[in-house]
Amino acid sequence: MNAQISFLDGTFRLIHIPLHLYPNFLQPILQVLLPQGGDDSIAHEAEGLSIDNKHGFLNISITPVECSVVCHSTWVKNVFEPVIKRLPPNLSKTVTISKDDYLILSVIAAGMDAGSRVMDLTSPLALAGVPIFFITTYYSDFILVPSKDRQTVVQVLLARNFEFDKDESAYVSPSAMSHVRGKSQSSEPPSTPPPSNVAELQVRTFELLKKRNVVPYISPYLSLVQCSGRDPSQLVDYSRRPTLSRHPSGNGHHRRSWLDNVDTKLYTSLISVLAKQPRFLSITLAQEDPPSLLLDREYLGVFGDSLVGDTEGDLVPIFLDLVNLPLEATGIVSGVAGKLIQEMGMDETGISSELSYLSTARAGAVILSSKQSMKALEVLKPLLSKE
């Protein structure tokens, strides 16, 4: 596999918001979602934005389990924490922010299907004792790792034949990944020694899930599509149109703002859907990519022609409510994904080519076609049954 893995700038934190408190957080969610620029009032949050006022990374996910936000640590402090502090104590304690800061790895890989990508990218980190969150988007994969584990992550990459490319500021694998496990030492070793191989990893994962009463389930009648906003280069540049105003301001030149660089139809549609508290919506903004959406099919009509991609898709998520697990739990993504690929037969069913994964603050979702999701659920349920 040819892969390019780079650390995004900045540190990030995860926020878990119970669904019944979602209305209290709609305003801060919209504040971080909407593009910024030219406003002195947001100067203290601008640390999380690029020079052209784009988020380096932002994920907002509303699922049947929770509302989850991954955003720059500065935005957490200045936008979300004040809202939490205004809540009554009995409610504020139900909203959680990750204690640790996280780094985000951006993964661009070619020549490997989605399921194998999940396995090859997450298993080495789990075997090194690094807890991760994994987010598959329309264009890329993103892996969240604790910032304190950066050196361990680098050692894992180097052990798997990655080399640092100064020109790309990324770790690059010119050939297929080696499956030899390198020796990786963390400055803070996990309290329990990490598993020695993938098989042991899977066993430990399901033992932990069973112990914490995690039961996989499918939300009835929920069907998703994965798609993208249009590339900014495809948008009409309205700034070049002649003004109809008889009273031009200033020197008569159009004053550009963030609205000139985004699809306003897409953002208006997002606001409309977010205002309804959808059953499922996951939006990811990354500096190098157009917006990526994993969306309840019910809301496709709201977006009109502002989306591109397979809008005829029929994806069904299998949810794992991980509220009883600590954030530092390791191996969940690779353990569950690996077991499914193994048990369902990667070549026979084609599961590996379509499997993707969405980590949220306190849950995980394995995403497959509707047919494969039912089969996957049949595989998982016996493994997590206490009977």
Side-chain angles (χ1 to χ4, degrees):
M1 178 180 80
N2 292 323
Q4 179 173 301
I5 300 178
S6 56
F7 285 95
L8 300 185
D9 291 336
T11 60
F12 299 79
R13 300 181 78 182
L14 297 96
I15 308 171
H16 160 75
I17 302 169
L19 291 176
H20 69 277
L21 292 180
Y22 175 84
N24 300 75
F25 287 87
L26 181 57
Q27 184 275 327
I29 286 173
L30 294 178
Q31 185 175 344
V32 298
L33 172 67
L34 295 177
Q36 306 290 327
D39 184 353
D40 293 337
S41 66
I42 60 124
H44 58 291
E45 291 112 9
E47 184 181 341
L49 300 175
S50 67
I51 193 170
D52 54 353
N53 299 307
K54 291 183 179 179
H55 282 284
F57 184 87
L58 172 70
N59 176 266
I60 300 167
S61 295
I62 300 100
T63 76
V65 179
E66 65 177 336
C67 174
S68 170
V69 178
V70 180
C71 67
H72 194 279
S73 301
T74 305
W75 289 81
V76 173
K77 178 181 179 181
N78 294 322
V79 177
F80 285 95
E81 287 188 1
V83 177
I84 296 172
K85 291 176 180 177
R86 290 196 295 267
L87 292 172
N90 64 315
L91 295 179
S92 64
K93 68 181 180 181
T94 65
V95 181
T96 58
I97 298 174
S98 61
K99 294 180 181 178
D100 292 331
D101 286 331
Y102 283 77
L103 302 174
I104 295 183
L105 297 172
S106 171
V107 182
I108 302 174
M112 180 169 284
D113 56 55
S116 298
R117 233 173 29 240
V118 173
M119 281 297 298
D120 265 31
L121 294 172
T122 62
S123 294
L125 295 173
L127 291 172
V130 178
I132 69 161
F133 293 82
F134 193 93
I135 298 175
T136 303
T137 72
Y138 189 80
Y139 294 99
S140 310
D141 296 312
F142 296 94
I143 303 175
L144 282 70
V145 297
S147 57
K148 62 183 176 62
D149 290 327
R150 180 181 182 126
Q151 190 55 43
T152 301
V153 173
V154 170
Q155 291 176 0
V156 167
L157 293 176
L158 295 176
R160 294 178 69 82
N161 298 329
F162 279 80
E163 297 178 356
F164 186 71
D165 186 325
K166 292 183 179 180
D167 293 333
E168 297 289 342
S169 296
Y171 292 88
V172 178
S173 173
S175 58
M177 285 186 175
S178 167
H179 287 270
V180 178
R181 186 184 176 210
K183 295 181 180 180
S184 302
Q185 300 296 329
S186 171
S187 57
E188 296 184 27
S191 55
T192 302
S196 58
N197 54 56
V198 172
E200 184 183 346
L201 172 66
Q202 292 178 5
V203 170
R204 286 197 189 184
T205 297
F206 282 91
E207 286 178 348
L208 175 62
L209 294 176
K210 185 184 295 187
K211 180 180 179 180
R212 297 304 178 95
N213 300 309
V214 176
V215 178
Y217 69 94
I218 289 175
S219 188
Y221 310 110
L222 179 61
S223 175
L224 310 179
V225 293
Q226 189 161 52
C227 44
S228 165
R230 292 179 293 174
D231 189 280
S233 63
Q234 301 173 1
L235 304 178
V236 177
D237 186 357
Y238 290 99
S239 66
R240 296 184 180 276
R241 292 187 177 184
T243 179
L244 299 180
S245 172
R246 296 182 180 180
H247 304 284
S249 59
N251 57 9
H253 294 294
H254 173 77
R255 183 179 179 180
R256 294 183 64 83
S257 74
W258 56 265
L259 286 169
D260 296 309
N261 300 312
V262 301
D263 185 350
T264 52
K265 185 174 184 178
L266 173 67
Y267 279 88
T268 303
S269 302
L270 279 171
I271 294 170
S272 175
V273 173
L274 287 168
K276 299 174 182 177
Q277 188 170 341
R279 273 208 302 166
F280 193 104
L281 170 65
S282 181
I283 168 74
T284 301
L285 303 182
Q287 186 175 337
E288 301 298 327
D289 298 333
S292 178
L293 284 81
L294 189 59
L295 175 71
D296 185 342
R297 287 184 58 87
E298 178 182 341
Y299 295 104
L300 265 178
V302 177
F303 290 85
D305 62 356
S306 63
L307 297 178
V308 297
D310 183 14
T311 55
E312 299 300 319
D314 181 19
L315 303 175
V316 173
I318 300 174
F319 294 105
L320 301 169
D321 188 342
L322 307 177
V323 68
N324 292 324
L325 270 67
L327 284 178
E328 61 270 17
T330 61
I332 305 301
V333 179
S334 56
V336 172
K339 193 66 173 178
L340 285 176
I341 292 173
Q342 175 185 320
E343 294 292 326
M344 295 178 67
M346 177 169 52
D347 297 327
E348 294 83 353
T349 64
I351 180 178
S352 185
S353 64
E354 63 181 51
L355 183 148
S356 60
Y357 197 96
L358 173 67
S359 295
T360 55
R362 306 301 294 272
V366 180
I367 300 162
L368 292 160
S369 68
S370 56
K371 180 179 179 181
Q372 297 293 357
S373 281
M374 296 305 297
K375 292 181 179 179
L377 193 60
E378 293 174 1
V379 171
L380 292 176
K381 278 189 172 181
L383 294 172
L384 294 173
S385 173
K386 288 192 174 184
E387 296 179 359

